[in-house]
Amino acid sequence: MSGKSGSVVIEFRDVGLYLGGKEITQNVEFNVRKGEFVCVIGASGCGKTTLLRLVSGLYQPTTGSVHVDGKKVDGPSRDVAIVFQDYSRALLPWRTAAGNVSLALEAIGMPRAERADRIHALLGKVGLAQHAAKYPSQLSGGMQQRLQIARSLAQGASILLMDEPFGALDAMTRQSLQDEVLELAADTGATVLFVTHDLEEALYLGDRVVALYSNPGRIARIVDIPLTRPRNQLSTREEPDFLHLRRELFGLMEEIHA
Amino acid sequence: MRRGFNFPGLAFLQGLVGLALFVWVWHLIVASGAVPRAFLPSPEATWNAFVRGVTIGDMREQLLGTVLRMINGWLLASLVGIALGSAIGISETLRNYLRPTLAFARALPASAVVPVAIALVGLTPGMVLGVIVFGSIWPTLLATVQGFAMVDPRLVEVSRALHLSRFDFIWKIGLPNAVPDIITGMRLSLTVALILAIVGEMLAGQEGLGKAILLAARMFRAPDLYAGIVLLGLVGLVSSYGLLLVERRVARWRR
């Protein structure tokens, strides 16, 4: 089913969720393996983000269960980090870039003396070493999202949940961040569950793509992406497999929207 | 309030002109003889009384007495207000339970509880302090509750995802988020604290400007009365403006 042969780290077992009497998610069942990069696509309101909240323990399923590392999720875990789409709301505006990364280190109880080096290394990883003393309001959107990624890395989690992280960014910034996230995922060996409404982004990043129907959110199709890594913004997007999958999924998405 | 105003010097100058006009009109009214001098002294007489009071008179001690009373009550009210406000603000349930009660207590004029306070603790410095604290706690307390209630839900999720303890959430997210509101509340509290310090002095006979202007009025020493009023106005102005500066500095991350 998947290109990677690692053990299963995220399991959706026949998951259903009702919120305020409305059925959000229905019969969702799929697995994510260790180190795998899985993208979830679907129209807005199809419950993509809900799936991330279920894995992160911010929501509890009404029926079925979500398991991480074999254990049933019953609340947030430090081994699961989440990157929100609205970076400007997810960062602490009164803390500098360094201070925002520090929050995650403080949360895991790292002694003060060790934090400075770690913060510097993490900010360096996302290209923000020069901006450590700036407040989020002084950073561009792309930089704020990099900062949120650095904070999620600081948590030391092996599972990274990303909720349309580049949806609000311009095309150039989005492409460079896509490549940075692929690099970071490869470096850290993290398992990534990535939600997007951008079909091409899903194909470019993922090992697999999970497409969802709307109202309620349920799985329409799960597609393996056999494109070679490392991926390249130009050549990958020109590969016959890419174009073929794009056509296929595009058709599916039109069907979903209809 | 606006930063980068084109002519900040000009605005200041305009303010001075306005003030000078006010004093000039005051002078004209006194000079016309329309109001007896026993009720309205001339600006010059007021100024002389002011200088005399500050140099050879007791005005400095009285000023110190009033300012200390105001600041002590205000600091105590701020501390208790922030602590109580955090405790209430952190819980939505508690907020809902207490909102009407707090709204009532806030709307209650603090001077209305003075008779109760006198009956309970007598005409003591403690009573005055208590009334100042009771009266000036509300703006800070309510601002703190408000600051906590307005924490972005996303930040609540961030703190949950990071497993922040309840204390860390209060200390690292709730309170910093509330700080601009708290400072604004404290600025309003300070004004109330000054009013109540003066009322308290008048009622309980504590040494201070409030008692001094009351005595001056009773003895028909109009210039002394007006000098005291001007000085009290200055205290209010300086303290309020000082906190406005703090407010701007603390909230520099807010654009």
Side-chain angles (χ1 to χ4, degrees):
Chain A
M1 187 159 128
S2 148
K4 307 233 170 163
S5 55
S7 53
V8 170
V9 288
I10 304 173
E11 276 174 275
F12 285 87
R13 292 190 193 162
D14 196 18
V15 172
L17 176 74
Y18 282 79
L19 279 181
K22 190 171 181 286
E23 189 173 27
I24 310 290
T25 303
Q26 187 185 68
N27 302 122
V28 169
E29 179 137 350
F30 71 98
N31 294 340
V32 180
R33 293 173 178 281
K34 192 170 174 52
E36 206 178 9
F37 201 121
V38 173
C39 294
V40 180
I41 56 168
S44 50
C46 72
K48 306 185 291 275
T49 299
T50 305
L51 295 188
L52 295 191
R53 281 163 194 267
L54 286 163
V55 177
S56 67
L58 293 172
Y59 287 169
Q60 299 298 320
T62 312
T63 58
S65 57
V66 179
H67 297 248
V68 167
D69 285 326
K71 271 186 300 198
K72 191 173 164 186
V73 176
D74 52 8
S77 148
R78 288 218 174 105
D79 200 34
V80 178
I82 182 159
V83 174
F84 294 98
Q85 172 180 16
D86 39 9
Y87 40 79
S88 62
R89 291 173 56 199
L91 296 167
L92 307 185
W94 55 84
R95 284 196 181 207
T96 60
N100 268 284
V101 175
S102 178
L103 181 72
L105 300 177
E106 293 160 28
I108 58 172
M110 179 181 280
R112 184 183 289 273
E114 296 167 30
R115 277 184 230 146
D117 284 346
R118 188 84 188 106
I119 291 168
H120 188 74
L122 285 162
L123 286 176
K125 246 185 199 173
V126 296
L128 288 178
Q130 317 295 326
H131 306 285
K134 287 190 183 159
Y135 289 91
S137 61
Q138 297 171 301
L139 301 173
S140 68
M143 288 158 102
Q144 290 185 46
Q145 196 53 294
R146 287 193 174 94
L147 178 55
Q148 211 197 157
I149 292 169
R151 183 175 70 190
S152 70
L153 295 175
Q155 207 179 325
S158 68
I159 296 172
L160 193 55
L161 308 175
M162 306 188 88
D163 183 13
E164 300 197 37
F166 312 142
L169 303 174
D170 65 86
M172 290 304 289
T173 310
R174 190 182 315 162
Q175 292 200 346
S176 49
L177 271 164
Q178 285 168 351
D179 290 333
E180 284 170 37
V181 162
L182 284 181
E183 238 174 82
L184 288 170
D187 283 355
T188 57
T191 307
V192 183
L193 191 57
F194 188 107
V195 163
T196 175
H197 60 260
D198 180 346
L199 173 60
E200 293 199 25
E201 180 170 74
L203 286 176
Y204 181 74
L205 294 172
D207 293 313
R208 272 191 302 154
V209 171
V210 176
L212 296 180
Y213 285 125
S214 305
N215 296 323
R218 57 206 186 280
I219 294 178
R221 178 103 55 97
I222 298 179
V223 185
D224 284 333
I225 312 296
L227 301 165
T228 51
R229 289 187 188 272
R231 295 191 179 159
N232 179 287
Q233 290 288 355
L234 290 178
S235 60
T236 299
R237 288 173 192 269
E238 286 165 353
E239 278 183 40
D241 275 343
F242 185 93
L243 297 172
H244 170 76
L245 283 163
R246 180 171 169 270
R247 176 175 292 264
E248 189 185 324
L249 281 172
F250 193 84
L252 179 69
M253 295 306 284
E254 280 205 314
E255 189 187 306
I256 289 172
H257 276 275
Chain B
M1 292 285 210
R2 211 153 40 124
R3 279 277 177 96
F5 186 75
N6 283 343
F7 302 106
L10 180 68
F12 184 69
L13 219 63
Q14 288 167 328
L16 280 185
V17 170
L19 196 63
L21 272 173
F22 172 75
V23 174
W24 184 60
V25 170
W26 177 6
H27 170 83
L28 283 185
I29 293 173
V30 176
S32 74
V35 185
R37 295 205 172 203
F39 298 130
L40 183 66
S42 67
E44 303 92 282
T46 303
W47 172 251
N48 290 336
F50 180 80
V51 172
R52 204 177 339 109
V54 173
T55 48
I56 53 172
D58 300 329
M59 234 174 180
R60 273 179 300 175
E61 288 77 16
Q62 291 160 352
L63 174 68
L64 192 69
T66 301
V67 168
L68 278 181
R69 196 163 288 121
M70 166 185 85
I71 288 185
N72 287 339
W74 173 70
L75 282 180
L76 198 59
S78 302
L79 235 85
V80 178
I82 292 168
L84 273 180
S86 304
I88 296 167
I90 187 92
S91 151
E92 200 185 335
T93 319
L94 207 54
R95 281 205 304 268
N96 292 341
Y97 270 110
L98 290 178
R99 192 165 287 143
T101 313
L102 290 177
F104 174 76
R106 188 249 261 281
L108 187 67
S111 40
V113 303
V114 169
V116 182
I118 292 176
L120 286 177
V121 278
L123 290 167
T124 60
M127 183 281 287
V128 177
L129 190 69
V131 170
I132 296 175
V133 171
F134 177 83
S136 64
I137 198 173
W138 306 108
T140 303
L141 191 152
L142 289 163
T144 310
V145 172
Q146 174 73 0
F148 269 87
M150 297 300 282
V151 169
D152 195 301
R154 190 68 71 249
L155 287 183
V156 177
E157 289 185 333
V158 166
S159 73
R160 284 185 64 200
L162 285 174
H163 264 250
L164 288 189
S165 66
R166 207 165 178 76
F167 176 81
D168 273 359
F169 177 77
I170 294 177
W171 189 242
K172 291 172 179 175
I173 294 184
L175 269 181
N177 190 71
V179 158
D181 290 320
I182 290 174
I183 305 271
T184 308
M186 284 173 72
R187 189 159 52 83
L188 300 174
S189 286
L190 191 58
T191 314
V192 181
L194 178 60
I195 294 169
L196 291 175
I198 293 158
V199 171
E201 283 167 8
M202 288 177 169
L203 286 171
Q206 309 288 325
E207 255 346 289
L209 283 173
K211 182 184 168 193
I213 59 173
L214 190 68
L215 288 180
R218 281 184 183 155
M219 296 191 231
F220 299 103
R221 295 199 320 259
D224 288 336
L225 168 61
Y226 279 74
I229 291 172
V230 169
L231 191 54
L232 282 173
L234 285 176
V235 171
L237 189 70
V238 168
S239 49
S240 176
Y241 189 70
L243 271 177
L244 203 60
L245 289 183
V246 173
E247 201 173 332
R248 282 186 193 164
R249 165 130 191 80
V250 167
R252 69 188 184 284
W253 49 266
R254 248 195 201 179
R255 287 210 307 196

